[in-house]
Amino acid sequence: MKFFIDTANLDQIREAQDMGILDGVTTNPSLMAKEGITGDQNVINHYKAICDIVDDNVSAEVIATTFAEIVKEGEALAALNPKIVVKVPMIKDGVKAIKHFSSKGIKTNCTLIFSAGQALLAAKAGATYVSPFLGRLDDISSDGLILIEDIRTIFDNYGYETQILAASIRGPLHIVNCAKLGADVITAPLAAIAGLLKHPLTDSGLATFLADHAKAAGK
Ligand code: G3P
């Protein structure tokens, strides 16, 4: 399973990359705004900086919502770096644009997926990734993991190569459950990824090992 970090914060991207477990990055307009990245040139420079840190795909989301504008913006983003994946919203013009990008060999990530039917449409259009939003479904008392399971079944039934990129992850257990269900990729905040490290028995076990070593060494 691939690990992407869901942030536009360069320090957090570097920290995850330094752990040696990071593959790529996903961003969205809200995450870019959170880092204060505004203006076309600043946004472009920021995507380039992110691409310089990681080895795999970097999702860059279009702001446009009409076919012609999505194509124009997406082609400009894709030209920045071969790692860039054009992130397109699940709307009618977005699906049409995904089909266009697919025919041109441009990678896409269809975002704001909240149903299996939406994921099926995106796969049919040739999306490289679909991004089902687990946490936001959980937030409204709907089980986001069932959506991951349903999409996995549908993609496997027909051999769709579209990868399931589980998004809107809230914590380490979401990541583990996505792995159990066969999601191809998770994208998560640094805290959720780092949460995988933690177990109280690891901490107490290590403390005992170190104390025993010190005692035996007469320290
Ligand atoms: O990748 C999509 C993700 O950023 C949405 O996460 O936490 O805003 O629901 P969240």
Side-chain angles (χ1 to χ4, degrees), residues 90 110-116 118-119 122 130-133 137 147 151:
M90 171 34 77
C110 188
T111 189
L112 291 165
I113 296 282
F114 291 96
S115 77
Q118 291 177 322
V130 287
S131 287
F133 278 30
L137 281 170
L147 177 58
I151 298 172

Side-chain angles (χ1 to χ4, degrees), residues 61-67 69-70 87-99 109-113 118 121-122 125:
E61 187 160 341
V62 297
I63 306 299
T65 54
T66 63
F67 173 72
E69 290 296 314
I70 293 172
K87 201 171 180 187
V88 180
M90 171 34 77
I91 54 175
K92 193 173 174 185
D93 281 34
V95 171
K96 191 174 165 185
I98 287 168
K99 180 72 182 173
N109 173 359
C110 188
T111 189
L112 291 165
I113 296 282
Q118 291 177 322
L121 266 184

